Amino acid sequence: MAERIPCAREGCGNTVLPATAAKTGGICMPCKQEIEREERRRYIEANRRDVNLYEGISDPVEILSIMHTDQPRDPLIHYLPYERSKEQVYLSLSEQEQLRMADLAMEMIRDGDEDTGTEILTLLSGYHDLPLTAYLPELLEYEVYYPAILFRSASPSLRDRLLREVETDDEHRNHLLLMLAYIGDERVVRQFREWRQSPPAWRDRLHVPPEHYAMEGGWELMAEGTRRDLFIQPSYALFRVREQENAAAFEHGDPVRMLAVNSACCPWCNGPLTTLIDLDVGHPALAGLSWKADRFAARTCVVCSCYGTVYMEIDEQGEPVWSEHNVMPYRAGEMDTDDYDGSYTAVTDQFRIAREPRHPFHGSEWAMEPSLSQIGGHPGWVQDAEYPNCPCCSARMKAVGQLDWGMVEEYGEGMYYIFACEPCGMTAVSYQQS
């Protein structure tokens, strides 16, 4: 066996076969590969060029078309981002431009790019509440059943078609029920009521009763058979101001109290309780909420609420206190909070609440990555819709807001949901993540 010789690269302790050394100049293969990678990196840095795909383009529809197009990956090209976010460009669209975007989306779907086409339609529906009535029959022809929010503006004839198909279409019944839930008009409410009174033959093939699908659309079927909305309207966006972000995005916001660490501790894990949001009940964002105190404060344990719902109740001074109705979820008290110091806590002027409302469904599709944190509006469920029941009166609690933890911490994830039972003065906080 040939005797191995030391690698010629200074500081390397590897050995190399003479035959290999003759090919590599005396260095081992790991060193050779590392040198080649470094040479490649320097070459890319020296030769990479910036490309501005938006240069000279002012039409927002063209700009969004570029944003929705995946560019070929080339290490020698750095694509410059547009000066505004996709969300900001969408919000700037005129009514005519919205229709052009919808037409573009349908062209993509016809050409086989269903994912991008439905994303565009979903953003138009959420950001502008654009009625998609004229496009929905064609969507069904292409078997576009998701997301169900697209069908909120279905015509009566299409609604009736869905009601017929749900009786026979075993494959798509789940999606059809979600579509009907988002339509949620008197005819749908009546049908859900009839299904509850006389369960259909296909009821046993579902995980939940048909009427429970109503919650995905943001409402519930009451005992007397009427509809009750489960979230307050409209939606006011919550922002955090960071130096690296465009300050113009927050110039229309007012300071809001958020993420204050309380002196009280969680009885389960002994970590500090945190007030996620503290807002004067006279604020227009809370116009849809009837509250006993002067301020609405949603307090929770940010650790234990990841395992189950945490309830608070308002005391005589209007302060939220730990509820005696709380039941420790499985493993909630096992979290190690020794390293927890409330480092996410920020002074009030770092957070803003928008001065102007946005559409109630703006933040309802979390996967589309809009500005998700909000007071009011349809929740952006990461998983299934889960409105907790009030432990005092057993009624489902209304959604008051949600906080995207990615807004709080650099590597934060998941969503905290805030609920209230108005008659009982109870709040609740739950959490979902992908």
Side-chain angles (χ1 to χ4, degrees):
M1 183 175 181
E3 184 178 352
R4 300 177 69 92
I5 61 177
C7 174
R9 191 182 187 196
E10 185 178 353
C12 179
N14 294 335
T15 59
V16 60
L17 291 170
T20 303
K23 298 176 182 178
T24 63
I27 62 175
C28 65
M29 288 305 297
C31 285
K32 177 176 173 57
Q33 292 168 352
E34 183 179 346
I35 291 171
E36 289 175 347
R37 285 195 299 270
E38 180 61 23
E39 289 175 347
R40 176 63 175 166
R41 184 189 65 79
R42 288 198 298 265
Y43 176 82
I44 290 174
E45 287 185 355
N47 294 276
R48 179 182 286 162
R49 58 191 178 91
D50 291 338
V51 174
N52 185 359
L53 297 173
Y54 308 99
E55 186 174 3
I57 300 177
S58 59
D59 182 1
V61 174
E62 291 186 40
I63 292 169
L64 286 171
S65 177
I66 296 172
M67 286 182 166
H68 281 286
T69 302
D70 292 330
Q71 304 303 326
R73 187 182 181 281
D74 187 336
L76 295 178
I77 295 178
H78 172 235
Y79 294 103
L80 296 174
Y82 189 61
E83 59 188 13
R84 292 188 294 171
S85 69
K86 184 186 294 183
E87 181 180 18
Q88 289 172 323
V89 179
Y90 265 99
L91 292 175
S92 73
L93 295 177
S94 66
E95 184 174 345
Q96 187 62 37
E97 290 164 345
Q98 294 170 40
L99 294 173
R100 287 175 57 201
M101 282 300 300
D103 289 338
L104 175 63
M106 293 306 301
E107 289 178 14
M108 292 178 172
I109 292 173
R110 296 182 192 112
D111 290 339
D113 189 359
E114 179 182 315
D115 290 342
T116 306
T118 54
E119 178 184 0
I120 292 172
L121 294 176
T122 303
L123 294 176
L124 289 171
S125 177
Y127 292 162
H128 291 282
D129 203 22
L130 177 69
L132 301 175
T133 312
Y135 304 96
L136 299 182
E138 188 175 2
L139 288 183
L140 286 180
E141 296 305 315
Y142 281 96
E143 297 189 343
V144 176
Y145 294 93
Y146 181 86
I149 191 175
L150 297 175
F151 291 83
R152 283 194 304 120
S153 57
S155 66
S157 61
L158 184 62
R159 174 207 61 206
D160 293 342
R161 172 184 167 181
L162 299 178
L163 286 170
R164 292 192 300 270
E165 291 184 0
V166 78
E167 298 288 351
T168 59
D169 191 342
D170 292 340
E171 180 182 359
H172 300 112
R173 181 171 291 119
N174 185 65
H175 290 304
L176 294 170
L177 288 168
L178 290 172
M179 295 176 195
L180 292 169
Y182 273 101
I183 296 170
D185 61 9
E186 292 182 6
R187 177 67 185 89
V188 171
V189 173
R190 184 168 75 249
Q191 184 60 68
F192 278 26
R193 182 170 63 245
E194 292 174 3
W195 282 332
R196 184 174 64 184
Q197 294 170 347
S198 301
W202 40 264
R203 159 64 185 89
D204 291 339
R205 301 171 205 164
L206 303 174
H207 294 294
V208 296
E211 65 273 13
H212 283 201
Y213 281 77
M215 288 186 286
E216 296 290 341
W219 58 282
E220 68 172 332
L221 186 67
M222 299 293 286
E224 62 273 20
T226 59
R227 168 180 169 147
R228 173 181 176 249
D229 289 339
L230 289 174
F231 61 92
I232 65 173
Q233 299 188 44
S235 166
Y236 281 77
L238 296 170
F239 302 100
R240 182 173 182 178
V241 179
R242 296 186 178 96
E243 290 182 0
Q244 68 270 27
E245 292 176 327
N246 184 1
F250 308 98
E251 62 184 5
H252 299 299
D254 292 321
V256 60
R257 299 180 187 175
M258 292 180 63
L259 300 171
V261 174
N262 192 259
S263 58
C265 292
C266 172
W268 297 337
C269 71
N270 205 37
L273 296 179
T274 302
T275 303
L276 298 182
I277 183 75
D278 184 344
L279 193 61
D280 191 304
V281 295
H283 193 284
L286 296 176
L289 184 72
S290 176
W291 200 239
K292 298 178 179 181
D294 293 334
R295 304 191 66 83
F296 178 81
R299 188 170 294 167
T300 191
C301 171
V302 296
V303 174
C304 293
S305 54
C306 294
Y307 293 87
T309 303
V310 173
Y311 296 95
M312 297 282 169
E313 50 192 82
I314 303 302
D315 65 13
E316 294 180 354
Q317 288 73 42
E319 279 290 309
V321 295
W322 186 268
S323 174
E324 61 181 11
H325 297 286
N326 278 315
V327 177
M328 182 188 293
Y330 176 65
R331 301 194 64 168
E334 297 180 12
M335 287 294 295
D336 182 6
T337 59
D338 289 343
D339 295 331
Y340 174 80
D341 60 0
S343 59
Y344 57 78
T345 305
V347 294
T348 299
D349 61 5
Q350 286 185 292
F351 292 90
R352 296 286 187 271
I353 184 169
R355 291 180 182 171
E356 298 298 327
R358 62 188 190 180
H359 290 288
F361 287 85
H362 185 115
S364 63
E365 292 295 314
W366 74 274
M368 296 299 181
E369 298 184 358
S371 300
L372 290 170
S373 297
Q374 62 184 21
I375 297 296
H378 187 285
W381 300 108
V382 179
Q383 302 168 16
D384 293 333
E386 292 184 7
Y387 295 87
N389 292 91
C390 174
C392 293
C393 68
S394 298
R396 282 197 178 88
M397 304 176 78
K398 277 188 177 181
V400 177
Q402 62 189 28
L403 179 60
D404 177 12
W405 206 244
M407 183 187 80
V408 178
E409 295 182 333
E410 184 177 1
Y411 299 107
E413 61 177 340
M415 192 85 68
Y416 287 90
Y417 302 93
I418 301 168
F419 307 90
C421 178
E422 297 155 299
C424 299
M426 297 284 296
T427 65
V429 173
S430 65
Y431 174 86
Q432 292 183 0
Q433 71 176 58
S434 59

